[in-house]
Amino acid sequence: MADPFYISTAIHYPNGRPHIGHAYEMIAADAIARFQRQHGRDVFFQTGTDEHGLKMVQTARARGMEARELADEMSSYFREMADVLDISCDRFIRTSEPEHYAASQAIWQAMADAGDLYLDRYEGWYSVRDEAFYEEKELTEGEGGVKLSPQGTPVEWTAEETWFFKLSKYQQPLLDLYAANPDFIRPESRRNEILRFVEGGLVDLSVSRTSFDWGVPVPGSPDHVMYVWVDALTNYITGAGYPHDVPRFEKYWPADIHLIGKDIVRFHTVYWPAFLMSANLPLPKQVFGHGFLLNRGEKMSKSVGNVVDPMQLAELYGVDALRYFLLRDVSFGQDGTFSDEAIVTRANADLSNSFGNLAQRTLAFIAKNCDGHVAEGRAEEADAVLLAEVDTACAAFRVAFDDLALSQGIEAWMTGVFACNQYIDAQAPWALRKTDAERMNAVLRTLLRAIRHLATTILPVIPTSAGKLLVQLPSIDDEDFRIAAPTPIFPRLELQATEA
């Protein structure tokens, strides 16, 4: 039986159309999921949209529509993006689904049964944009004396009856968790940030609202809906089968990786494990907080007008070129920057000029000069050296991807591509055709083996392009193979004008 592997992204808050940061998270998770499937794991990959909260209510009201109607519209954009970007998710979850309401109410009841919920009155600072509560000590003062959250969003004083979760009770259990599992939070910078926050003391958390009704109803309290982060986080166990599909839940939970943005690490590594501890449920194995994507080094903002539509980039430059750039040029876990010029430059250098040209000239040469078939030839040491170099490069890719070092893995893969280009230039099969056909055959068969290995390895990153190449690359273990005139897979890109 295949070893199960569960990866989830932070389900996206659809209060607007998707931006490039949403696309990056989906693409990274997809590459990891494809990599794990390729190596025999039984992968469950979930993404989706988190649709409740005051912000959705306010946006819907401003547009003269119901919150559910807005959620339907916005969620459809995220689903479309997943389709366009070739995201191989097994479950696109929406937190407005009846199945998810049932799971959220089940974990609420479990926390209540543990004695960790109590009714009281909340007065404090709340950021509608973050859907988050903040303590006074976390706030800063903005222009005109406006109080701001740590994310720079405005906060407002809120007072209402609310259910509280005994978060303070879990301060030491959480610190014990971090100490016993140093890789529970990655990268290390995120872990250190959360350690400091929890060591500074936890206060009980308001987990229901009465000022609006767009959310999961609280069991036994019909005037209350759950705080959005209670039901948003519960999505991970909804998809895994909680609470009704016990065999599925036992198979996939705990999740192997929650892949999230660095701005919501607190919710996933403080609140979420505390909720799970209270409900007596296993904790996810790892939470990875990736960085932000910056547009030419600047944070994206609607007010600045530099928010980029990933669908437009994919249309202009191709899905796989965009996927490759984001995974190759952004160091996973750190902030990264992008531009149209950078996408074009990287795709042309690595995919078109290096790997694509290598495959195209090899296959075209065989189709034109060898009638599509290459017989056994006279092997030399250089052949074994190249295949060993390619093996080493692909093995390094696998090690890096296993450790979520995605850009380093692709960089290692490129050393195999470079080795093949050096080999073909040194061996010059076009010259051997006139002087030593037997040696030419060995060189071409070596190249076919190497290119096939490289194409198979990079499949998780550029699934469509690598897949098309593999169709043109028959295995030379089949002695009757024939190679037709190849279709170019990686055309050179030209810089296009995009609109922010």
Side-chain angles (χ1 to χ4, degrees):
M1 181 181 294
D3 185 23
F5 181 90
Y6 177 13
I7 179 171
S8 65
T9 67
I11 55 173
H12 303 297
Y13 198 79
N15 198 37
R17 289 178 180 267
H19 58 65
I20 190 69
H22 298 129
Y24 172 62
E25 183 172 291
M26 278 192 179
I27 288 169
D30 180 68
I32 296 166
R34 288 177 182 272
F35 170 79
Q36 293 293 341
R37 288 193 198 101
Q38 190 180 54
H39 291 87
R41 304 292 293 276
D42 176 3
V43 171
F44 173 54
F45 168 25
Q46 176 169 294
T47 187
T49 46
D50 156 30
E51 300 170 13
H52 293 130
L54 179 58
K55 185 162 50 176
M56 288 288 283
V57 173
Q58 292 179 341
T59 302
R61 186 180 298 131
R63 291 184 54 183
M65 60 200 305
E66 295 296 321
R68 181 171 291 278
E69 185 183 0
L70 175 66
D72 289 344
E73 176 191 332
M74 293 300 173
S75 183
S76 71
Y77 299 139
F78 284 80
R79 190 182 289 273
E80 179 188 10
M81 181 178 70
D83 291 340
V84 169
L85 297 179
D86 204 6
I87 304 302
S88 62
C89 61
D90 301 289
R91 174 82 150 89
F92 187 98
I93 193 168
R94 296 183 58 185
T95 59
S96 56
E97 298 173 10
E99 183 180 357
H100 180 66
Y101 275 47
S104 299
Q105 289 172 333
I107 194 173
W108 180 282
Q109 192 61 54
M111 294 190 291
D113 292 345
D116 287 336
L117 298 175
Y118 62 93
L119 196 61
D120 204 339
R121 183 172 176 80
Y122 175 78
E123 293 190 15
W125 297 105
Y126 188 73
S127 165
V128 176
R129 195 178 303 174
D130 299 344
E131 295 287 7
F133 301 97
Y134 294 104
E135 296 180 55
E136 184 82 35
K137 65 183 180 182
E138 298 180 85
L139 306 181
T140 57
E141 190 168 302
E143 293 183 9
V146 175
K147 291 186 179 294
L148 302 176
S149 76
Q151 309 299 333
T153 58
V155 296
E156 57 188 42
W157 188 260
T158 299
E160 60 183 306
E161 181 185 71
T162 180
W163 284 94
F164 279 85
F165 172 74
K166 295 180 180 178
L167 184 63
S168 57
K169 170 182 171 181
Y170 290 93
Q171 178 172 338
Q172 193 56 49
L174 286 168
L175 292 174
D176 293 343
L177 166 68
Y178 308 148
N181 303 276
D183 284 339
F184 176 71
I185 307 172
R186 292 184 62 196
E188 188 177 1
S189 58
R190 315 277 183 261
R191 180 177 183 274
N192 292 338
E193 171 190 325
I194 293 301
L195 270 174
R196 289 193 298 270
F197 174 73
V198 177
E199 287 171 345
L202 296 179
V203 297
D204 290 352
L205 179 67
S206 171
V207 289
S208 76
R209 305 298 302 274
T210 57
S211 54
F212 58 93
D213 61 1
W214 174 238
V216 180
V218 170
S221 293
D223 293 335
H224 292 250
V225 294
M226 293 181 195
Y227 170 45
V228 64
W229 277 106
V230 176
D231 96 84
L233 294 164
T234 300
N235 94 88
Y236 302 122
I237 55 176
T238 304
Y242 179 83
H244 302 300
D245 191 342
V246 175
R248 176 179 176 78
F249 189 63
E250 290 179 345
K251 178 181 182 180
Y252 287 116
W253 191 260
D256 293 84
I257 303 171
H258 287 331
L259 178 58
I260 63 169
K262 68 178 184 179
D263 54 330
I264 54 174
V265 171
R266 179 190 303 182
F267 305 106
H268 287 78
T269 60
V270 180
Y271 302 167
W272 182 223
F275 296 159
L276 291 169
M277 288 176 185
S278 174
N280 197 30
L281 293 171
L283 309 187
K285 298 174 186 176
Q286 186 173 111
V287 178
F288 193 102
H290 64 79
F292 291 147
L293 275 183
L294 308 176
N295 187 345
R296 303 178 186 276
E298 294 185 350
K299 189 172 182 179
M300 286 181 287
S301 166
K302 290 180 181 179
S303 60
V304 175
N306 65 347
V307 177
V308 173
D309 180 358
M311 308 284 275
Q312 185 184 25
L313 290 175
E315 181 179 354
L316 290 175
Y317 303 119
V319 172
D320 277 359
L322 178 61
R323 287 175 62 109
Y324 185 86
F325 168 79
L326 291 174
L327 297 178
R328 172 69 174 85
D329 278 44
V330 178
S331 183
F332 199 48
Q334 307 303 315
D335 289 349
T337 189
F338 75 95
S339 66
D340 290 63
E341 294 89 343
I343 295 169
V344 169
T345 298
R346 175 59 71 189
N348 284 342
D350 287 12
L351 297 182
S352 181
N353 297 351
S354 296
F355 188 48
N357 186 49
L358 167 69
Q360 181 69 16
R361 60 176 172 164
T362 300
L363 295 178
F365 184 89
I366 294 171
K368 181 179 179 180
N369 299 295
C370 305
D371 195 26
H373 181 76
V374 183
E376 290 282 358
R378 188 181 71 256
E380 293 183 0
E381 183 181 359
D383 308 339
V385 169
L386 174 67
L387 293 177
E389 287 179 312
V390 171
D391 284 346
T392 298
C394 292
F397 175 96
R398 290 193 297 273
V399 170
F401 259 60
D402 260 331
D403 193 40
L404 306 184
L406 307 185
S407 59
Q408 293 91 326
I410 300 172
E411 185 177 1
W413 174 81
M414 276 302 301
T415 65
V417 175
F418 293 148
C420 285
N421 279 305
Q422 291 170 351
Y423 171 87
I424 195 173
D425 289 341
Q427 297 299 319
W430 48 89
L432 291 171
R433 175 172 172 264
K434 302 175 182 178
T435 61
D436 191 342
E438 191 178 3
R439 177 63 192 139
M440 176 197 72
N441 286 345
V443 169
L444 293 174
R445 288 174 75 93
T446 299
L447 284 167
L448 288 175
R449 282 195 175 95
I451 295 169
R452 187 174 182 84
H453 195 177
L454 289 166
T456 301
T457 298
I458 205 64
L459 259 173
V461 177
I462 47 173
T464 300
S465 303
K468 288 180 179 178
L469 178 56
L470 285 167
V471 169
Q472 301 183 56
L473 265 173
S475 171
I476 64 172
D477 293 334
D478 177 4
E479 285 304 321
D480 296 326
F481 75 85
R482 281 288 183 272
I483 293 174
T487 301
I489 304 296
F490 303 103
R492 280 189 58 81
L493 303 180
E494 299 294 334
L495 186 64
Q496 304 291 329
T498 59
E499 298 179 1

